[in-house]
Amino acid sequence: MLKRFLAIVFFVSVSSSVFSQYNEVINGKVLNKKSREPVGFASVYIVELEQWTTTDENGTFSFHPRSLTSVSIQVQCLGMEPLSTFIQLKDFLNKKLILEMAPVSFDMEEVTVLAKKGSGISTSSTIGSAAIGHVQPASLADVMQLLPGNVISSNPDLSNVQQISIRETGTDANSAMGTTILIDGAPVSNDANLQTVSTARLGSDFSSVAGAGTDLRQISTDNIESIEVIRGIPSVTYGDLTSGVVVLKTKAGSMPYELKIKTDPKIKQVTLGKGYHCKQLKGAVNFSLDYLRSFSDLRSKYEGYDRFTTELGYSAIYNKPSGKPLILNARLAYFQTLDEEKTDPDAMVANEKMFSRDRGFRINMNGKWTIRRKLIDNLDYTFSFSNVYQKSYREFYRTSNTGIETISTSLTEGENIGIFLPTEQFTKVSVKGQPVSLFLQLIGNKVFDINKRAVNKILYGLEYRLNGNYGEGQIYNISNPPFVSSNTSRPRKFKDIPALNNISYFIEDKLLLPVGKTWLNLQAGIRLNNFQSKNWINSRLGYFAEPRFNVQYQILSSKNNKLFDKLSVNFGVGKNYKSPSLLYLYPDHAYFDLSILNYYTGDPNLDMVVMDTHIYKTTNPELKPSENLKLEFGLDFKIKKHSGSLTFFREKLTNGFDMVKEFLFIDSYRYQTSSIPEGTKPDLANLPKEQWTAVGEYYKPQNSSEMEKKGLEFIFDLGKVKGLYTSFTLDGAWLRTKKIESTIPYQQHPSSATSAPYLYIGVYPPGKSKVSERLNTNLRMVTQIPKLRLILSTIAQMIWFDKYYFPEYDEAPMYLLYPDGSTLKFTEEMRTRPEYIRFVNEKSENYYLKEIMPPLLLTNFRLSKEIGNQLKISFYVNNFVNYRPIYEYARSGSFLRRNPSVYFGAELKIML
C-alpha cells in the first residue's frame, strides 16, 4: 500500500505540467524588533518550498516563490527568538517583506521560558535558549522536565548515572538505548561501550552505562542554542532508535562574551563562551569552555563527579552570489568526565578507591548545498567522528568468608595446576576502552509544484555508522583476580572484537495538498536498515524495513469559521528498529574453574590444588534488533490567544535486550585424597578419580524483554492575564507502562537443602511483568515584567495518582531439565514434595497487592533578572513549601518519604 501511494505521488509530481514558475522575486529584510537594526547572517527557511537563504550584513534576503500563493517562513539567528510567520505572496510582489525578530532579552514579550509544541507533522517539543537558561540545568536531564508528562522527582544530583525517559514512568535501559541524541545532526553513540569486567557474570561496581543509553551527565547544555524532542513518529532520516529523538543544535554566530557562574549545595559550575564574525575566515567562529564539579555529600567529599568540555566551531556560507550557496558548519569538541569514589582515610578500610574516567574528542561537519538539478534541489550532509578513551578502575581489599580460596590461571580448557589465595588480599582491576564512532549521512530532496498551490517533496538518502572499540579491555593480575568463584573470567582485549557497521537507505514523500479552504499534509516513507553489514549489500544480522506514515488535516481555520483560528487532527503510525550494541553482539566467554583436588596442609611444599577449566561461548546467533511499533492520534486547536493539543499514543517494544541467566551441566571428575600418604605431595598419576556433575550458571544476551506504553499527553496555553503580567500553561500526561521481563522461558536453579546441588534445572514460563501508571499535571505560571527585565516562574506539579503492581503469573516451572537432556513435566502434586518444593517461586501474600500512592503536590520556583545588557542573575528553589509526606508501602510495610527536600541554587551570567 505504501509503495503504491509513493508511486502515485511521484507520477503525479513528475507528469504534472505545473513546473512553470513565476519570474517575480520576493525581497525581504529582517530587523531587530528592539533596536530596529538589521539582523545579519540570519537563516531564512521557506517551509513549503524547502528553500533556504540567509540575510546579508544589511539584513536583506530574497527568494523565488515559484507558483505558490502563500508560504510559511521561519527565521533563526543566534541570540534571537525564532520567528515563524505565514504570508500571502501577492501582498509582497511589489514591496519589501519586513520581518521583525525579538532578541532574547527579558524586556521583550516574545521571550518564552517554556517548551513549545513543535511545528512539524510529528509530535515534538522545542526548547529555546531562554527556556534552557531559565531551568538552570547542570545536564541535559534537567531540561527534560519541560516535556509534558515528565515529573520533577529529584533535585539536581550528578552522583549517579542519568538515563533519558520519554513517555514512560521511571527509566528503562532499552528505552534509553533506543533514544537517539543528535548534536548538530550526528548521533552521540553508546553502542561501543564495553566498560564491564565480564558480561558472563553480569556485575560491575563501576559507574557504567554499557548496554544502555548515553549518560546525560556528559552533555552540557550551556553551548546549546535549541533542543527538539521528537516523541511521535519521526522522519525516516532518523534511524537506529525505538523511543524517540533528541535534536541538539549548538550555538553558531556572533555573540558577546558570556561568563556564567552556577552554584548550589552540590554543584559548582563555570562556563565561558564567545562568538564573532571573522572577515578573514569569511564566517563565524564560536568557542566555549565549561567546568563542573559535583559532590554527592558536601560533608564527605570522597564521592564526586567532574566534567570539563570545550568546543570550537566555525560556520560560513560559500558561493552565495551564484544562487547555489553551500553552508558549512564545522565543530571540534573535547570533553572529560571523572566519576570518582574513595574511602575516607579515617575509615577502618583505607586506600580503597574507584573511578570511571572518559576523555575524548568529536569532529562534526554538517550543512546544506543548493544544487538545483533535475533530480535534486538541495543536498544535506553530515559527517562526524568521535574517539573516546575510557578507563574504569578499582582497587580494594578482597576478603573471603570461607577461608583459603583456590583459583586457576589457565587460559585453555582442561586440567591445570591452580594456586591458593590468602583470606584477604589487596587487588586491582582496570577496564580500558576506546570507543570510536563514525557517522555519515547524505540527504537529497526535490520539490515539485502541483496546480500552483500544492507542493510535493521527495526526500531520499543513505547513512553509514561505524562503532568499534579499540581499547586494551579488562586488565588485572589473574593470580590476584577481583573476584573468586567457580564462575570466573579472564581478561579480554576489546580491540579484538569486530566493529558494528550499519548501513541504511531511505526515501520519503511529503505532500501538502489544499482541500477547499483546508489543508492536508501527508508524510510517508520507508527506511531500510542493513544491520552489521558485510558490505553495502550483504548483511550479518539482516535487513529490517521501517515504514512510517504521518498525516495532518487542518479541518478549520479563520477562513472557514468564526470560532477556531486553527483546528487540525493528526495521525501517525510507524516502526523503528534499534541494532544490538557490541556488548550484546560479542559478550565475554564464560569460564568455569572446578576444583578437582584441594590438598591443603599449610606446608607450601606439600600443598596442591588442581582445577578443571571449561570455557563456553555466550554469543547468541539468534539475537535480533529491538523493535517498536508506534501509533498516535492527536488534536490541535487555537482560539485567539488560547491554544492546546491532545495526543493519544500507544507503543509496543518487542525483542528488548537483556542478559539472561542460563545454566548448564558440566561433566567432570574429582581426585580421591584418602589414599595420599601423610607428609607427601599428591601423585596425580596414582590417585583414583570419581565422576561428578557440576551445575554452572552464566549470563547470555537475549531478546527477552518487552514494553507496552500508552497514554494521553496534553498541553493547554490558557493565555496571559495582563494585569498580573502572568501567563498560565497547563500540561501533563496519563501514562501506563507495562514492562515484561521474560518473554521467553527462563531457567532457575535453587540452592539445595544439602551440600550436593540439584542435578536438574527448572524451566519457567514467560510472563513476569510490572505495570506502572501515573497521572500528573503541571501548572506553569510565568510572570514577565518587561520594564523590570524580570521573569519568574512557579510550577505547581500535581501527581494525582502513582501506582504499580505485579500481575499474577505461574510461579512453578513448566518442566525440569536433566543432564542428559531429558525433561520431566512439573505437576501440581510436585509443588509440595520436599525434593521439588524449592523450585516453586512462591510469593508472599502481599506480593500481588497494588501500591496506589495518594495525590502529591510539588511546587518549584525560578527567578531570572537582567541588569542592563551585561548582567543576569538567576535563582531557583525546589519544593519551597517543604511538603514531604510519608507513604507506607502496602506490600512491605516500609515507609517512603515522598518529594525531594528543599533545595536551592543561584546563577550569575556576565555578558561583555
Side-chain angles (χ1 to χ4, degrees), residues 527-531 539 541-546 577 623-625:
R527 180 184 179 96
L528 189 62
N529 301 298
N530 179 355
F531 288 140
S539 176
L541 280 179
Y543 279 88
F544 298 87
E546 298 178 315
Y577 284 99
L623 196 68
K624 301 176 182 179

Side-chain angles (χ1 to χ4, degrees), residues 246 251 296 502 522 866 868:
V246 180
K251 295 179 179 179
S296 60
N502 293 341
L522 297 173
E866 288 181 343

